[in-house]
Each structure stands twice: as structure tokens, then as C-alpha cells.
Amino acid sequence: MRYAFFLLLLNSCGFDEPVVDDDDIVIEDPGTVLSIPDGFDFSTYHDVKINIVDDGNYAKYDIYAYSDELYDAGTETFENESGEIVTETVYKSDVLDRLIFSGVAKNGTLQQTINLPKFYDKVYIRRNESLQFTASIEDIVNQEVNFNAAESKKSIKSSGLKSTTDYLYSVNGSGQLFQVDPLTGLLTDLSKMPMGSYTCAIDQENKLLYSIGRSNPYPLMKYSIEKDIWETVANLGIGGPRLDYNANDGLLYFSTKAKLYTFNPATGEKLNTWNIEGLDSTSGGDLAFADDGTLYLCTFSGLYLLELDANNVFQSTRISADSLPFQPTSMTFDSNQELWLANSASSSNLIVMDTQTGGWQYKYGPDANNGSDFGRTINDLTTFRVISENVNDTDTDGDGIPDIDDAYPEDKEVAFEYFTPSKYGQGTISFEDLWPTTGDYDFNDAALSYQAVAKLNSDNMAVQLDFTCNIKANGAGFTNGIGFQIDGLLPTEIESVTGSVFTQNFITLNQNGTEADQEKAVIILADDVDNILNETKITIRFTQPISTEKLGVAPFNPFLIVNMVREKEIHLPYMSPTSLGNNSTTFNGTNKDEDGNYISDNGYPWAISIIHDFKVPKEKVAITDAYNFFSLWAESGGLNYVNWYTDSSGNRNKDLIDQ
């Protein structure tokens, strides 16, 4: 069976009867007619079960929604590595913006069910074992991801120093901080930088990485490897391609063109300036100190040894005598004193070079002919040495999770966080409020923007839920309430609900803040959506820690209460009303939902939920006019154009959408 799907454009969202003509004959403007498969629920997302098996040492996991599609971040004017000022479109990855949850395997397993837009077919799994990061991109198969750490482990490169493991930390002008395992060539994303950069240097003792932004005012940025936190030290007012940290004097050495400077890493104060003589090219390159304090520099012309003469000038001696077939952009020494370089390219190579002869070979990348390809530029390299006996295992709250991995290191009840849609994302639930009669299908009668954060203990069990929300569109003529039912919980499993806003006196609450006379746990966010036009956080504490499987996945079972008529609830398609709701279609007006499933006899819903910051159509603009591929998505039963609501090219008619 297939439904005929009509978009009906009425004169006002405030009517609770269809428009009629002078003879009281119902006039229905069919607008766009769609053919909708039987049972299609207009869902834009699905639940995905993550199954991780890890019988090894303690390790923290971070799970991200993964897409290899880059987004247009706009244009930026900056100085390139040749010293030229250019303006270019910047394309970035948003993978590290889409953290879903973190956790540690207990009894060898870590399992969570997450909520993902259907256009995601992969997840990014990052494993952190005492700052030894590894990562894997895993396919979603039949709404599951299965990951076994033992099967994914690769041998790691051990230096000549006992219990030391090297990782090559890398940055680029697109604002990516990542590492490469020097033995396997495996790449792991670590952080999104505040600004793209050509420079990075590590203070090994304090586990800090420094980088200078590539654009004016050229900020000196500091990154804590343990805490995954960026901060700006100072604006240097000068940019360039070469940077290293000297452990002997604790200073940053920075070079651009034929100059060498030192900076205080704590303040950004410039301390010394030297001239460099003898460089065949002054463009590009990097600085690197060997363990014995010898200073090396490379430019696009090759590798040089730098030595300070009696006149306080650095003299350069060229080591790589022949012209190189690549332009070096970066270099670093590992613990075995092997020198690693990267070249200027859209997909860089990693190269090992001998400091005595200048001999070299491609190790990883397109020119290595071993199947490796990073697919990104490496603008600078530095080495981070993970020394096992120096790992910081401080556990302030005694919950078994070291402070460096604990989101709440001073609260033993909370260790991790679980985000819906993601750490930096928001979801949207949009309603038409004329149920069971027909609306204008602009979906702006009430549009709720939200982010749900489940706080988990060290056993990956939920102890609290923070639901931060606001109404970002309210085109209704009614006074509507809004809330959600957690279908897997009883009211007695809730200890407290705080933050809800009530002004209309038609909602009765239990002592714990849940709604009274409900079989399941019902949370009313507000009895008037106008009360939450600004961002509001509702906090739900559980009487006992519960599994996230039992809790379910946000936005749970959301609903709108129409015009203070408590039994008149509007739900997502095929969702059940609460104990106080009534979908028996006894309300006034022409009944378009005789089945009581919140899908009209014309085939369309009164509510839609999107795990995305959905931009609602303008008043009286049908969703099929605002979004070009909505019709094709609906007619395919959700199989085609699954990202119809995103800002990908061609999806939206921006002049018909509230921005």
C-alpha cells in the first residue's frame, strides 16, 4: 500500500479546523503530491550498537561519527610556506567535532548504542593507552559496529631507550593535529586546532605541543597532550615555517627566511634574533635539534647544519648536496636519532634522511610504493616519546579512571560523557500543531533545538542526563507545552528533575519532578514553549546507575501538548502517547489521523526529528519548497538523499529558510 502525500498550505498555523469556503465545503490545496511507502516513519537517523572487545591493558576509547567529506570553511588570507600572501578557500574535516561518547572497557567489553544520521556509514574509534594513540575507521553493518582491539593492534616501534615509544606528531594549514606511527605508518587524528599552522614543537617533559598560527596576528598556541586542551599564549605578530623546542634552555627556536629567533614559550616574549647565512633558498622547511644539541634546518633547497660563528651569525652548511625531487616542509628526530622529513604536497610523503650524507628514502606516502597514502598535507613534524614509567596515573577521585582520562576527575560518580547528537552538535524536533487536522507543513509551529549529555560512571553506566534545549522557532498561535517520555524507565527510577519551566498551571508533578499519573517516566521541559526561547538545561538524576541501553537514546519519545489541552499530544510517527495522552481522535476538527499513528491519511507526519541543527522553513513555506530533495527522500522511503536537510550543495533554498 502507498499513501498519497499532500502538502496543504493554510492561511494560518493557528486554526484548529481546515479552511472552508462559503458553502462549508472543505477546500484542500493539494500542493505537492507525493507517494509514500507504507510504514515510512520519516526517520532521519538510526540506532547503532557499538561493540568493543579489549582484553588488553587499560585504554580509553573515544567514538566519533565519521565522514571523509570535507566542508567548505570559507576563505582565509594567510602567508604560505614560500612567504607569499594568498587567499584561498579552506576545506576542513569535522570528524573531531562529532564525538559521541567516551569510555573504558570493563571485563573486556565496552558497549553503547548511539544515535546517528542515516548518511553516516562509518565511525571513527580512537584508542588511548597511556598516551599511545591508535585509531580505526569501522563500517556500520546492520546497525552494528564490531571492533576487537587485539585484531587491530599493530606492532609499535620501540626506540633504543627502554620502554620508550615514538610517535610523529604533525600539523597542517587545514588545522589538523594528528600523529603517525613511524613503524606502521598508521595515522590517528588527535585534535582540531584553533588555526591552521605550518609549525609544531613538543616540550617533552611537560607534554606540551606549541604551534604558531599561519595567519595574522600569528598566535603562539599551546596544546596539552594529556588534557586535549588548546590555549593561546600570545600573538607573535610574525609567521613562518620553522619551529622546534630546545630542552637544554627551555626556549622555542623559530625561523623564517634568513632569520632565527628565540621565544619564551610561557609568555611569547621574543628574546634573541640571529641572521642565517648560506641558505640556497629561504622558503619553507623546518628546524630540529638532535639529542646532542646540534641544530639542523631545512628549506625547500634541502638539509643544512647550523653553527653559530664568532660574529654571532649562524652559518649554514648544506648536507643534501644534490637537488632534491621534493620540497621539505618539516623534520624531526626520533629517539633513535633518525631524521624524518615531510614534503610539500596535497598528500605528503614521510621521508627518512641520513644527516651525514644527505641520503634519503621515501618511507610512507604515494611515492613510497607500499600502498600508504595519508591523503593530507603534513606541514610540520615533531616527535612525542611515550615513556611507560613516566605515565601520569593520578586518580584524584579514586574511581579507577586516571585524571587525564576522567571528564570529572574530582567527582567519583562521573567519569565519561555520552552526547546526542555529538559533543559540538545539536538536534532539532519540529512540530505542526494542528493535529489531527492539516497544517501548512512549514514545521515551525514549535522547533526545539537540543543536546543531550548522559553522564556516565567508571562502569559506563548513566547517573545523570543533562538536556540542554531552546525553542528556535515558534510560529504557533497556541500556548503549547513540550516534553519527552523515556520509554524504558519508570517514574520511580528518577531521583530528581530540575530546570523545567512552568507558568500555565495545567501540569501536575510528582515530588521527584516527573509528571504525575504516568506509567513511564515523563519529563515536561516547559508548559509553554515561550518559556524556553533561551537556552535552558534540564537535569535528570537517576536513583541508581542505569545502562544506556535501558535509558534509550535521545530525543527519546518527544511530544507537543497542544494549547494546554493535556490529552492532546503530538508525537513522532508511530510513537505511543503517554498515559495522559489520547490519540483516539475525539478532538474537534476533521480527523486526518484515524489510525492514531501520527501519520495523516494523506501520508505525512505532524512532527519530524533530525539529529542535526535543522534550519526550519520560513512561515507558510512548505518543506518541499525550502528543501529541494525532501520529496525524493520521502518517496524513496528514506533510501535516497538521506542528507537532504544538510547544507550540502543544492539541498536548500536559502531564501526560503530561517537562518
Side-chain angles (χ1 to χ4, degrees):
M1 172 183 174
R2 299 173 72 85
Y3 292 110
F5 180 73
F6 298 92
L7 299 181
L8 307 176
L9 304 179
L10 303 183
N11 290 333
S12 172
C13 290
F15 293 122
D16 51 13
E17 296 280 354
V19 176
V20 296
D21 67 9
D22 292 340
D23 296 322
D24 291 334
I25 299 174
V26 175
I27 299 173
E28 295 187 346
D29 179 3
T32 301
V33 178
L34 302 177
S35 183
I36 305 301
D38 189 8
F40 177 54
D41 64 359
F42 290 85
S43 174
T44 62
Y45 49 84
H46 58 172
D47 293 350
V48 176
K49 189 172 183 180
I50 309 295
N51 303 301
I52 295 173
V53 176
D54 191 339
D55 292 320
N57 298 328
Y58 167 95
K60 179 190 176 186
Y61 282 88
D62 296 309
I63 312 301
Y64 302 80
Y66 179 83
S67 171
D68 56 10
E69 181 179 350
L70 302 178
Y71 70 93
D72 183 344
T75 60
E76 183 180 353
T77 299
F78 56 93
E79 182 179 332
N80 65 20
E81 289 186 283
S82 297
E84 304 165 329
I85 302 298
V86 297
T87 300
E88 294 180 355
T89 301
V90 179
Y91 295 93
K92 295 185 177 182
S93 168
D94 66 353
V95 171
L96 295 185
D97 288 334
R98 302 203 171 273
L99 175 64
I100 307 298
F101 75 90
S102 302
V104 169
K106 290 291 182 177
N107 299 318
T109 62
L110 172 59
Q111 294 183 329
Q112 301 286 13
T113 298
I114 63 177
N115 209 342
L116 284 181
K118 290 182 177 178
F119 61 81
Y120 282 106
D121 59 5
K122 295 179 175 64
V123 297
Y124 188 73
I125 298 178
R126 188 173 69 187
R127 184 179 187 271
N128 175 7
E129 182 180 336
S130 300
L131 299 182
Q132 298 185 72
F133 292 90
T134 55
S136 178
I137 299 168
E138 298 292 329
D139 292 328
I140 299 171
V141 180
N142 297 324
Q143 295 182 231
E144 281 195 345
V145 172
N146 294 293
F147 175 83
N148 190 309
E151 295 174 358
S152 301
K153 281 185 178 179
K154 307 292 183 180
S155 58
I156 57 177
K157 181 175 184 179
S158 179
S159 74
L161 301 176
K162 183 179 180 181
S163 303
T164 299
T165 305
D166 286 335
Y167 292 99
L168 305 179
Y169 273 49
S170 312
V171 301
N172 61 25
S174 296
Q176 295 171 301
L177 171 64
F178 51 99
Q179 70 164 39
V180 177
D181 184 321
L183 182 62
T184 64
L186 292 180
L187 184 150
T188 300
D189 281 301
L190 299 176
S191 181
K192 184 176 180 179
M193 304 178 69
M195 181 185 288
S197 176
Y198 307 133
T199 59
C200 61
I202 282 180
D203 172 358
Q204 179 68 45
E205 181 179 357
N206 295 301
K207 299 181 177 62
L208 297 173
L209 178 141
Y210 293 93
S211 185
I212 300 171
R214 71 174 184 174
S215 301
N216 192 44
Y218 305 107
L220 175 61
M221 304 175 290
K222 180 172 68 175
Y223 174 74
S224 169
I225 295 172
E226 289 186 320
K227 298 179 181 178
D228 188 23
I229 295 175
W230 285 95
E231 61 180 281
T232 297
V233 176
N235 293 322
L236 300 185
I238 184 172
R242 310 173 203 130
L243 186 70
D244 201 11
Y245 178 84
N246 188 347
N248 293 321
D249 59 18
L251 300 179
L252 289 169
Y253 283 68
F254 169 72
S255 175
T256 181
K257 298 181 171 55
K259 296 284 188 180
L260 178 65
Y261 309 89
T262 55
F263 287 92
N264 182 338
T267 65
E269 178 187 3
K270 184 168 67 175
L271 303 175
N272 300 290
T273 303
W274 296 275
N275 291 323
I276 304 172
E277 294 184 354
L279 298 176
D280 298 280
S281 168
T282 61
S283 298
D286 195 15
L287 288 175
F289 284 94
D291 277 0
D292 63 4
T294 304
L295 179 57
Y296 293 86
L297 180 147
C298 69
T299 71
F300 284 165
S301 57
L303 178 65
Y304 298 83
L305 172 69
L306 293 189
E307 294 179 297
L308 194 64
D309 66 14
N311 296 317
N312 207 35
V313 173
F314 274 98
Q315 298 294 333
S316 60
T317 302
R318 185 166 174 168
I319 296 173
S320 54
D322 297 330
S323 296
L324 298 173
F326 57 84
Q327 292 182 316
T329 60
S330 51
M331 64 181 186
T332 186
F333 286 96
D334 65 18
S335 296
N336 290 320
Q337 293 302 282
E338 274 194 324
L339 182 64
W340 292 78
L341 296 91
N343 69 311
S344 177
S346 59
S347 182
S348 294
N349 294 290
L350 278 178
I351 303 150
V352 175
M353 180 175 282
D354 179 66
T355 59
Q356 300 300 313
T357 66
W360 59 273
Q361 68 177 38
Y362 291 116
K363 192 71 172 180
Y364 302 110
D367 294 321
N369 296 319
N370 56 12
S372 59
D373 190 341
F374 298 120
R376 65 178 67 178
T377 301
I378 298 174
N379 289 114
D380 202 7
L381 289 169
T382 187
T383 301
F384 181 59
R385 303 172 182 179
V386 179
I387 305 171
S388 60
E389 56 263 35
N390 292 337
V391 171
N392 183 358
D393 58 0
T394 301
D395 181 10
T396 300
D397 57 18
D399 62 357
I401 306 300
D403 288 358
I404 60 173
D405 294 335
D406 197 328
Y408 300 87
E410 296 182 354
D411 184 348
K412 64 180 180 181
E413 293 186 2
V414 187
F416 307 116
E417 293 175 315
Y418 173 125
F419 303 93
T420 304
S422 64
K423 185 173 183 178
Y424 300 105
Q426 292 182 318
T428 308
I429 311 162
S430 291
F431 294 90
E432 287 286 306
D433 69 354
L434 291 184
W435 177 86
T437 59
T438 301
D440 56 13
Y441 214 47
D442 56 14
F443 277 109
N444 64 22
D445 290 349
L448 182 79
S449 178
Y450 74 90
Q451 183 197 51
V453 182
K455 294 184 176 180
L456 312 179
N457 64 16
S458 59
D459 292 322
N460 305 305
M461 304 281 279
V463 298
Q464 179 174 310
L465 177 74
D466 289 340
F467 195 88
T468 302
C469 61
N470 68 280
I471 292 291
K472 67 177 185 177
N474 183 19
F478 296 149
T479 298
N480 297 323
I482 195 166
F484 57 82
Q485 177 172 276
I486 304 178
D487 290 338
L489 296 185
L490 300 174
T492 54
E493 293 178 280
I494 305 295
E495 179 182 292
S496 64
V497 179
T498 56
S500 301
V501 186
F502 300 99
T503 59
Q504 301 301 323
N505 300 316
F506 70 95
I507 299 295
T508 303
L509 300 178
N510 294 315
Q511 189 172 0
N512 64 0
T514 60
E515 189 174 24
D517 301 317
Q518 295 280 15
E519 178 183 353
K520 298 176 181 178
V522 173
I523 313 299
I524 304 298
L525 306 175
D527 60 2
D528 182 350
V529 295
D530 282 344
N531 295 336
I532 52 174
L533 296 178
N534 296 318
E535 187 174 280
T536 304
K537 183 168 74 173
I538 289 83
T539 297
I540 304 161
R541 292 282 300 180
F542 307 120
T543 55
Q544 298 289 334
I546 59 174
S547 68
T548 55
E549 182 178 9
K550 180 179 176 65
L551 173 62
V553 181
F556 308 108
N557 181 356
F559 60 91
L560 196 73
I561 303 171
V562 180
N563 208 25
M564 298 190 292
V565 179
R566 182 58 195 86
E567 64 177 345
K568 195 171 185 180
E569 298 177 354
I570 299 176
H571 287 256
L572 296 171
Y574 298 104
M575 299 298 285
S576 299
T578 74
S579 301
L580 298 181
N582 179 3
N583 63 346
S584 63
T585 67
T586 60
F587 303 107
N588 292 332
T590 302
N591 179 20
K592 295 293 184 178
D593 187 15
E594 293 185 355
D595 294 333
N597 59 11
Y598 300 102
I599 292 184
S600 77
D601 55 9
N602 291 328
Y604 66 90
W606 283 270
I608 190 167
S609 177
I610 297 173
I611 304 293
H612 193 81
D613 183 18
F614 179 58
K615 306 297 185 183
V616 298
K618 291 183 177 179
E619 187 72 20
K620 303 292 180 271
V621 175
I623 197 169
T624 48
D625 293 330
Y627 287 89
N628 293 320
F629 303 121
F630 178 87
S631 300
L632 295 173
W633 169 72
E635 289 188 325
S636 73
L639 298 179
N640 300 331
Y641 297 98
V642 291
N643 68 338
W644 61 267
Y645 51 86
T646 69
D647 62 357
S648 293
S649 178
N651 279 359
R652 300 172 176 174
N653 292 314
K654 294 184 179 180
D655 58 333
L656 301 180
I657 291 172
D658 281 331
Q659 298 299 314

